[in-house]
Each structure stands twice: as C-alpha cells, then as structure tokens.
Amino acid sequence: DRPEALPYDLAGQRILVSAGGTREPLDPVRYLGNHSSGKQGYALARAAAQRGAQVTLVAGATSDPGEPAAVDIVHIESARELEHEMSRRAREADVVIMAAAVADFRPVDVAGSKIKKGDDGPAPIRLDTNPDILAGLVRARGAGDIARDTVIVGFAAETGDADGGVLDHGRAKLRRKGCDLLVVNAVGDGKAFGTEDNAGWILTVDGNETALPFGSKTLMASRILDEVAVIVPHS
Ligand code: CTP
Ligand code: CA
C-alpha cells in the first residue's frame, strides 16, 4: 500500500543503496567501526520502494534503522566486502546511492585468533587505506563497465574548518568524486550521527545547489529522491 501523497515517479527504476557503517576486522572478535546508524540509507531505500523502484539495500552495521520494507537486503561487514557487492550490483542498477559510512582505513594485519593482552602492553595498529568505492564506481562508469547513464549519488558529512565552510568542502568533494549528486550533511555538535534529523545541501554536477532544511531523515530521503527523479533517464 502506497500513501496517496507519494509520487510514483521511480516506477521500474533499479536503485542500489548502501547504508550503515563498515567494520574493519582486527581479529575474530574485534573491529574498527563508526557510529553510523544506517537510518538515512534505510529511509532512502524505503522511500524509493514506495515510489515504485526495485530496491537493493547493501547494509553494513546499523542501529535501529527500521524495517527495510519491500527491499532486497544484502549484509556486509568490511569496506572491501561492500566494494565487492556494489561494483557487481551497480551493473544492474539505474541509480546507485552511496549512503554507507565507509571506513577510510583498515588494519593491515588481521589476527587469525584473538589478540591476547600479554605482558608487553599494546602493539600499535598499522592501517591501510580502503578503496574509495564511490570514486571506483564513477571510474567504472567512465570505462563503460557500468552503463553510462547510471546515476551515481554520494554523501558527505562535513564540518566547517579553517579551509572553508560545509558548503565549500561539499563542492570540492563533488568535484573530487565525480558523482552526479552529492548530499552534504552539516555535522558536528551531535548533529546527524544516530539522530533523527539532518540538514545540508544537495549539490549537482551541473552546479545546482538545493538547501535541505532541518527535517526528518524520511523527509530528507524524499527530497533526495525528488532530485534523483529529475535526472534519472525514464524509459
Ligand atoms: N566513500 C566510499 N569509499 C570510501 C570512503 C567513502 O565510497 N572508502 C563514499 C561514502 O559512502 C560517501 C562519499 O564517498 O558517499 C564521501 O565519503 P566521505 O567520507 O565524506 O569522503 P572521503 O573521500 O572519505 O573524504 P574525507 O577525508 O572527508 O573522509
Ligand atoms: Ca571518509
């Protein structure tokens, strides 16, 4: 059942969404992780399905993100598992949305058995850089491995700093990533992570900048999908 108020403008679109945080293993019982709740990605998946899309949700670690109704769900742990699922599934998608909080780094060594406390104190954890999945998807599209008209959406959580405001960082990230849409969330002061509300901008590759006033993640999702619906090729 579809609420009357929702448009049915994504009918037949195949939408691939990543959500939640990645966990980068240290040993069989420990990992490096982050505070992503997965709520924004789940809200997007739900809203897209309600608007008629065929949705696959690739989910990492979440907390209380709600039921992903009418959505195919695939669970992953690490960034490299996420990369594997996204690159494979993006070939069968019209829209790819990278809402996952991907760890930038992973431990170089993953112990096969539980690391013991021992007598020597803690050993340093050496890190490697994870693949940039979003940038990889854009590259694959450029190379023709993914259809050229696939719409690719990225997310950025930014704070202002000495190098510029949230919007400046968002614009720079859109250029760097090469995606079609970048959803920029203003974070800091406890905003966004694990909370119900968000605020930010949607930036498009052709220079449109739409403010996202403070609102629920469900409302954010429908605003983001409004922008997606404008640029997705309709058959
Ligand atoms: N992302 C990704 N793969 C990574 C890191 C990030 O696909 N290894 C995606 C995220 O899912 C998000 C976008 O890239 O859609 C931006 O993530 P963000 O962490 O803001 O960008 P980074 O390039 O990692 O830059 P920063 O140094 O600001 O963390
Ligand atoms: Ca990052």
Side-chain angles (χ1 to χ4, degrees):
D1 288 342
R2 189 170 63 84
E4 282 315 315
L6 284 176
Y8 206 59
D9 52 357
L10 296 172
Q13 300 288 348
R14 299 162 304 172
I15 302 192
L16 178 64
V17 183
S18 70
T22 66
R23 290 179 168 181
E24 310 300 324
L26 273 165
D27 72 13
V29 296
R30 302 186 180 96
Y31 57 83
L32 301 182
N34 61 63
H35 282 299
S36 172
S37 68
K39 284 177 182 162
Q40 188 62 73
Y42 273 59
L44 276 162
R46 265 193 299 274
Q50 286 173 330
R51 288 164 73 152
Q54 198 182 304
V55 181
T56 302
L57 179 60
V58 182
T62 59
S63 79
D64 194 23
E67 273 297 298
V71 162
D72 287 328
I73 185 155
V74 180
H75 293 279
I76 57 88
E77 294 265 337
S78 68
R80 288 198 289 184
E81 287 170 28
L82 180 60
E83 180 188 43
H84 176 75
E85 294 298 334
M86 295 305 284
S87 59
R88 199 163 75 75
R89 294 173 190 276
R91 292 189 216 122
E92 268 112 59
D94 302 298
V95 181
V96 182
I97 304 178
M98 278 298 299
V102 186
D104 291 327
F105 308 111
R106 66 173 182 276
V108 172
D109 302 306
V110 182
S113 52
K114 189 184 167 200
I115 298 166
K116 302 302 282 181
K117 191 157 52 183
D119 295 327
D120 303 333
I125 298 170
R126 289 187 304 138
L127 300 174
D128 255 348
T129 301
N130 268 331
D132 188 324
I133 301 168
L134 178 62
L137 291 167
V138 170
R139 259 198 320 276
R141 182 178 63 175
D145 297 336
I146 292 171
R148 304 261 178 196
D149 58 0
T150 309
V151 175
I152 302 179
V153 180
F155 273 74
E158 301 287 348
T159 64
D161 60 22
D163 295 328
V166 168
L167 196 49
D168 300 316
H169 285 297
R171 288 176 184 139
K173 191 162 283 179
L174 176 67
R175 279 195 299 276
R176 205 158 63 233
K177 299 278 185 177
C179 51
D180 303 294
L181 282 184
L182 187 74
V183 182
V184 182
N185 285 314
V187 294
D189 308 325
K191 288 203 281 279
F193 276 121
T195 66
E196 297 299 332
D197 294 312
N198 264 335
W201 287 267
I202 302 178
L203 311 182
T204 72
V205 68
D206 35 287
N208 290 322
E209 302 186 344
T210 308
L212 289 170
F214 214 68
S216 70
K217 289 184 180 179
T218 302
L219 187 58
M220 289 282 272
S222 73
R223 291 198 175 115
I224 294 162
L225 293 176
D226 289 345
E227 299 292 328
V228 167
V230 171
I231 57 176
V232 76
H234 288 270
S235 42

